[in-house]
Amino acid sequence: MVPHGKHLIIDFSGGLHLRTHMRMSGSWHIYRPGERWKRPRADMGVVVATDQCVAVAFNVPVAEFLDDRALLRQHDLRHIGPDILGETFDVDEALRRVRARSGTPIAEVLLNQRAVTGIGNIWKSESLFACRVNPFRAVASLNDEQIACLLTNARKLLMMRSAGAETRNHFNVYDRAGQPCRRCRTPIASKKEGLDTRVTFWCERCQEIGD
């Protein structure tokens, strides 16, 4: 599997590729042959089996086979931003794409796959807290150092998670609405915002709108 943001590409021989996108509900599981699945068979969308392992996509909303030419033309893949976990993540290009959305709140832009891919809602909130940036500030109100801070912190946090580090018990703001801030003890605030009404978590004191 090769990740492209939230897209996963599985390459087969003969120039055939399987593209899947999990959106909010889907997930890939890897099993040994004969091992019992952890999800009901009714949730199974795709199965890819070899002698060594069985990969199962559950509740997958997007799955399609593409040849080499169709993969190059695939609309979503052509327009996605730099992958935050890519080996050659281009922070300058990501910054340029973020800057192009000058009037949009930074929290929404960090989730925009055409600006930068792979951050997700958890690390959006955590990165904003780490850099002391209010989620609802317009991109135009931020300087390059603040935006670069958000991108590099998101990459660092995601790389820690992908390496197997336990992070849930160490969230600073995500899913901690009403609990005291770990820095200043102010209750963590939360608000639904954006087109997908994702919940943003932040500290109103550490991340004041005028900072």
Side-chain angles (χ1 to χ4, degrees):
M1 292 184 183
V2 179
H4 293 270
K6 294 186 178 182
H7 303 263
L8 286 174
I9 310 298
I10 300 177
D11 299 321
F12 295 92
S13 59
L16 189 64
H17 313 274
L18 173 64
R19 180 183 78 94
T20 59
H21 194 298
M22 300 296 99
R23 301 204 188 280
M24 295 297 294
S25 59
S27 60
W28 277 99
H29 292 203
I30 307 296
Y31 300 100
R32 294 184 298 272
E35 184 179 0
R36 184 174 180 178
W37 296 355
K38 295 181 180 179
R39 299 288 297 275
R41 184 167 292 272
D43 291 345
M44 179 269 291
V46 179
V47 175
V48 179
T50 70
D51 292 338
Q52 290 75 38
C53 68
V54 178
V56 187
F58 294 102
N59 295 320
V60 56
V62 177
E64 61 177 347
F65 280 107
L66 302 168
D67 60 20
D68 289 338
R69 182 177 297 180
L71 185 66
L72 291 174
R73 294 199 308 262
Q74 211 285 328
H75 182 269
D76 289 344
L77 293 175
R78 286 179 60 193
H79 292 91
I80 62 174
D83 188 337
I84 196 75
L85 282 178
E87 292 184 8
T88 57
F89 175 63
D90 189 340
V91 66
D92 291 331
E93 174 61 12
L95 192 150
R96 184 191 70 78
R97 288 173 177 249
V98 170
R99 275 265 173 250
R101 294 153 175 83
S102 61
T104 306
I106 184 61
E108 291 186 35
V109 176
L110 292 178
L111 294 181
N112 188 323
Q113 300 297 291
R114 295 194 177 192
V116 57
T117 63
I119 292 179
N121 201 45
I122 293 175
W123 310 112
K124 171 201 75 176
S125 291
E126 290 295 302
S127 299
L128 287 162
F129 177 80
C131 299
R132 294 179 177 265
V133 174
N134 186 279
F136 309 106
R137 287 182 62 175
V139 168
S141 72
L142 303 175
N143 60 42
D144 287 352
E145 289 74 18
Q146 289 172 306
I147 298 173
C149 176
L150 293 169
L151 296 172
T152 54
N153 268 275
R155 179 174 169 82
K156 178 179 73 174
L157 291 168
L158 277 159
M159 291 183 75
M160 288 173 57
R161 185 185 185 188
S162 66
E166 175 57 48
T167 53
R168 176 165 289 277
N169 293 331
H170 301 285
F171 290 154
N172 286 304
V173 290
Y174 181 78
D175 204 26
R176 297 190 64 240
Q179 298 181 44
C181 173
R182 300 191 194 281
R183 283 180 183 152
C184 70
R185 311 305 292 174
T186 299
I188 297 299
S190 65
K191 180 181 178 181
K192 290 185 177 180
E193 47 83 33
L195 294 176
D196 296 325
T197 61
R198 308 292 295 278
V199 180
T200 295
F201 300 87
W202 80 104
C203 173
E204 294 177 307
R205 182 173 181 182
C206 294
Q207 297 166 264
E208 291 185 28
I209 192 71
D211 284 354

